[in-house]
Amino acid sequence: MQTTPASPSTPASDNAALQAIIRAEVTRNGGWLPFDRFMHLALYAPGLGYYAHGSTKLGHLPADGSDFVTAPEISPLYGHTLAVQVAEALARTGTQDVWEFGAGSGALAEQVLDALQQQGVALRRYTIVDVSGSLRARQQERLARFGDVVQWAAQLPDAIEGVILGNEVLDAMPVQLLVRKGGIWHERGVVWDEAEQGWAWEDRPTELRPPLDIVGEHDYLTEIHPQAEAFIGTIGRHLRRGAAFFIDYGFGEGEYYHPQRHMGTLMCHQLHQADDNPLLAVGDKDITAHVNFTGIAVAAQDAGLEILGYTTQGWFLLNCGLAERMAQSSLAERALAQKLVMEHEMGEFFKVLGVCKGEPWEAVGFARGDRMRML
């Protein structure tokens, strides 16, 4: 059993309160907590979890107190270009609403709204669903100039008609950890080590398995994604007419569960530094895992959605006209936008999955660079 002490950087009162909440949950669960539940509390415990308190989170540098940067913060051309696909999807589905999940600082919403206005798209409403109260306040300030067009929702209505956006949303959904040791599969959970006064890993035999058999007999750590797949199922049930686009880092199933990927993909982010230990600085840093896009696509189809396409972020943005926008931009703006499409930056690492309810069409974002064979 490996132990880790509580983070020395966490304010004592907040750390103690979050520790108490998680420890109480551990006690209720018989002394052992599945990692997905631990991850949920670390990120979303009211007022104390990472996404529930007022830290900066999104930004360019550690000096501004931020932990990571996303594509809309890198360049406004990201949202302006994505809006080309949004406008096409609105027209093809005959809808007038956009829904964004996990809107972060509000940068993507601002960029898409500006671009849609410039294209003359008559948008009825842009609704944001975000569990973070502190980020919601930042979004409201940033998007105030759009008036009542922008609204916030705490839950989904029974029926949605429109275009759904999810930029780096699926990676923050809690995952279950599976580890094969000595040929036996275990689920990895969390316990409180009283002697060390810290969190510790504890593995228990399980009937759970990855969706693919892992070739070889070596020890192997990985994740499964029931919550993200359930979320897609919920989208499928609520979406009556429209489309959805999810942009995130991840792989198709064969690459995700490759025998050589034996350490999994779980990663934490704090002050623009990455580490793989979610048991430290609990509540003070982001916890993510790569997305198994095959599982997401299957969940979408099971929920009655059609697949529009799957490709890399680089190809998606180029298909939507990013190169033309860059040609009309300053040298500094072009340098930043290149990070969105270059293979060694975000272009290859991030993928885009498009789905729709109703008759699919040849969506502009997937015109070239098809990766469907990788699902």
Side-chain angles (χ1 to χ4, degrees), residues 74-77 322-342:
I74 291 174
S75 170
L77 296 185
L322 178 63
E324 292 77 7
R325 291 179 180 273
M326 289 173 63
Q328 301 169 11
S329 303
S330 69
L331 181 61
E333 290 170 333
R334 290 200 298 271
L336 289 172
Q338 283 180 343
K339 295 183 178 182
L340 303 174
V341 295
M342 294 178 71

Side-chain angles (χ1 to χ4, degrees), residues 4-330:
T4 57
S7 168
S9 64
T10 305
S13 58
D14 289 349
N15 181 268
L18 182 58
Q19 303 280 39
I21 288 174
I22 302 177
R23 288 178 66 180
E25 186 76 2
V26 170
T27 300
R28 283 192 293 270
N29 205 59
W32 179 89
L33 200 61
F35 179 74
D36 58 336
R37 183 57 183 162
F38 176 89
M39 181 174 172
H40 172 82
L41 292 171
L43 294 180
Y44 304 113
L48 298 169
Y50 178 76
Y51 281 108
H53 59 60
S55 66
T56 302
K57 299 176 182 65
L58 292 144
H60 288 269
L61 297 168
D64 61 23
S66 63
D67 298 312
F68 57 90
V69 64
T70 61
E73 275 78 31
I74 291 174
S75 170
L77 296 185
Y78 178 76
H80 296 164
T81 306
L82 177 59
V84 172
Q85 179 64 87
V86 173
E88 182 195 64
L90 289 168
R92 295 301 292 258
T93 60
T95 57
Q96 294 182 293
D97 286 18
V98 174
W99 289 72
E100 184 182 354
F101 286 82
S105 67
L108 180 59
E110 182 179 45
Q111 294 160 15
V112 170
L113 284 162
D114 278 337
L116 290 178
Q117 285 185 353
Q118 292 168 11
Q119 294 179 54
V121 176
L123 193 66
R124 187 175 72 94
R125 183 173 296 118
Y126 194 109
T127 302
I128 292 173
V129 183
D130 205 311
V131 299
S132 172
S134 61
L135 288 176
R136 193 179 309 123
R138 292 176 63 185
Q139 296 158 11
Q140 290 170 340
E141 181 179 358
R142 184 168 196 159
L143 303 173
R145 63 187 174 92
F146 296 104
D148 293 339
V149 171
V150 183
Q151 297 187 9
W152 283 260
Q155 59 186 16
L156 295 181
D158 290 338
I160 294 178
E161 294 188 349
V163 174
I164 295 170
L165 299 177
N167 185 69
E168 293 198 48
V169 170
L170 298 176
D171 67 90
M173 294 189 175
V175 295
Q176 290 177 274
L177 297 181
L178 299 183
V179 57
R180 184 176 66 188
K181 298 189 299 185
I184 306 298
W185 282 103
H186 301 74
E187 181 173 7
R188 177 156 289 180
V190 178
V191 297
W192 178 259
D193 188 287
E194 193 67 38
E196 297 291 337
Q197 287 294 291
W199 298 109
W201 296 117
E202 185 173 289
D203 302 330
R204 296 187 173 186
T206 181
E207 297 298 320
L208 295 171
R209 296 291 185 273
L212 294 181
D213 289 334
I214 310 300
V215 177
E217 299 179 357
H218 56 296
D219 290 355
Y220 194 91
L221 173 66
T222 192
E223 307 90 22
I224 56 175
H225 308 75
Q227 292 200 30
E229 292 167 10
F231 168 75
I232 297 300
T234 299
I235 294 296
R237 290 191 297 274
H238 287 261
L239 187 63
R240 296 290 184 265
R241 182 163 53 111
F245 300 91
F246 297 100
I247 307 102
D248 229 312
Y249 43 90
F251 317 103
E253 198 168 73
E255 188 176 358
Y256 198 106
Y257 297 105
H258 192 281
Q260 293 181 1
R261 200 178 302 283
H262 63 95
M263 296 302 292
T265 72
L266 196 71
M267 192 61 60
C268 306
H269 302 276
Q270 185 179 27
L271 296 176
H272 296 266
Q273 297 292 317
D275 71 84
D276 60 0
N277 190 349
L279 305 188
L280 285 176
V282 178
D284 284 347
K285 60 184 180 181
D286 193 19
I287 307 173
T288 72
H290 285 48
V291 177
N292 170 15
F293 276 103
T294 302
I296 297 300
V298 170
Q301 292 178 316
D302 288 345
L305 299 170
E306 300 287 340
I307 305 298
L308 288 172
Y310 173 66
T311 190
T312 64
Q313 177 178 291
W315 271 117
F316 182 84
L317 293 175
L318 290 171
N319 289 336
C320 291
L322 178 63
E324 292 77 7
R325 291 179 180 273
M326 289 173 63
Q328 301 169 11
S329 303
S330 69

